[in-house]
């Protein structure tokens, strides 16, 4: 069996590139055999050697999802998002997923950070805007919520949506921020 042979010779291999290929093969074989601990250990070892190893990150992601290890999955998704910062198309879904995982882990501030970065990448993304609105409200971040709503006013929205947003901002100004003058400006 090739896997057994690789396991036997792996410690004696001197060439780093060959050793990494063998470790990848062993990790993939362990994952395929359902040995999640061995696979995870090998993938983590690969990441120690090559921090941006896509195959190792993909393997670990599969393991963490299978085990339901949301904490480690969150950290891995963040790592992948950092590596994808040069590609909006790749980074955006990772930031959105990081936000959702942070919420699941009851880490509101981390969720806000992830969604705020996603909003920078896609300023009109309704899913991201909705998540931030809810988080800002739940965490009583009224100034941030007001700014987000004001930002929405600058986007293409229907007249009815604009009215609803102005009314909502006015309520925040009066009820939460005590700024009656600003509230009146939104009700004009």
């Amino acid at each position: 069996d090739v896997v057994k042979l690789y396991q036997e010779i792996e410690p004696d291999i001197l060439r780093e590139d060959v050793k990494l290929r063998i470790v990848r093969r062993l990790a993939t074989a362990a994952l395929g055999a359902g040995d999640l601990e061995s696979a995870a250990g090998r993938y983590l070892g690969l990441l120690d050697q090559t921090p941006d190893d896509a195959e190792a990150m993909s393997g670990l992601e599969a393991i963490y999802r299978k085990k339901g290890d949301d904490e480690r999955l969150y950290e891995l998704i963040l790592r992948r998002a950092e590596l994808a910062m040069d590609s909006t198309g790749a980074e955006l879904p990772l930031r959105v997923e990081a936000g959702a995982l942070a919420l699941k882990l009851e880490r509101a501030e981390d969720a806000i950070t992830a969604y705020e970065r996603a909003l920078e990448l896609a300023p009109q993304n309704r899913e991201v805007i909705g998540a931030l609105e809810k988080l800002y409200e739940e965490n009583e971040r009224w100034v941030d919520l007001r700014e987000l709503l004001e930002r929405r006013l600058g986007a293409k929205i229907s007249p009815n949506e604009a009215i609803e947003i102005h009314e909502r901002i006015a309520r925040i100004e009066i009820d939460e921020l005590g700024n009656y003058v600003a509230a009146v400006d939104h009700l004009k």
Side-chain angles (χ1 to χ4, degrees), residues 60-62 64-65 69-78 97 101:
L60 282 170
E61 184 177 339
Y64 296 155
R65 286 187 194 285
D69 190 340
D70 291 331
E71 183 67 41
R72 286 190 177 144
L73 180 60
Y74 169 74
E75 296 299 330
L76 182 67
I77 295 296
L78 274 185
E97 183 174 5
L101 283 167

Side-chain angles (χ1 to χ4, degrees), residues 74 96 149:
Y74 169 74
V96 171
L149 293 170

Side-chain angles (χ1 to χ4, degrees), residues 166-184:
H166 278 294
E167 288 175 350
R168 189 165 176 207
I169 293 172
R171 280 193 310 275
I172 291 168
E173 291 290 1
I174 291 170
D175 297 343
E176 308 303 339
L177 301 174
N179 190 344
Y180 294 92
V181 174
V184 169

Side-chain angles (χ1 to χ4, degrees), residues 119 123-124 126 129-130 132-134 136-137 141-157 161-173 176-177 186:
L119 188 64
Q124 302 307 318
R126 290 197 179 269
I129 291 169
L132 276 172
E133 282 183 21
K134 185 177 181 201
Y136 288 157
E137 194 164 337
R141 290 179 58 169
W142 305 117
V143 173
D144 291 329
L145 179 56
R146 180 191 63 208
E147 289 172 2
L148 181 64
L149 293 170
E150 287 172 346
R151 189 175 181 176
R152 282 188 57 203
L153 288 172
K156 290 183 180 181
I157 56 174
E161 280 180 290
I163 290 169
E164 288 175 22
I165 292 171
H166 278 294
E167 288 175 350
R168 189 165 176 207
I169 293 172
R171 280 193 310 275
I172 291 168
E173 291 290 1
E176 308 303 339
L177 301 174
H186 282 286

Side-chain angles (χ1 to χ4, degrees), residues 20-89:
L20 290 174
R21 274 199 323 259
I22 287 177
V23 171
R24 267 188 212 95
R25 175 71 176 104
L26 289 170
T28 303
L31 183 59
D35 186 354
L36 302 182
E37 294 305 316
S38 176
R42 291 194 185 277
Y43 284 133
L44 288 169
L46 280 168
L47 288 178
D48 286 343
Q49 296 296 314
T50 53
D52 61 345
D53 190 298
E55 187 177 333
M57 284 189 274
S58 178
L60 282 170
E61 184 177 339
I63 291 167
Y64 296 155
R65 286 187 194 285
K66 188 176 261 187
K67 291 172 73 174
D69 190 340
D70 291 331
E71 183 67 41
R72 286 190 177 144
L73 180 60
Y74 169 74
E75 296 299 330
L76 182 67
I77 295 296
L78 274 185
R79 183 179 193 166
R80 289 184 56 212
E82 293 297 319
L83 291 169
M85 287 184 76
D86 60 341
S87 170
T88 299

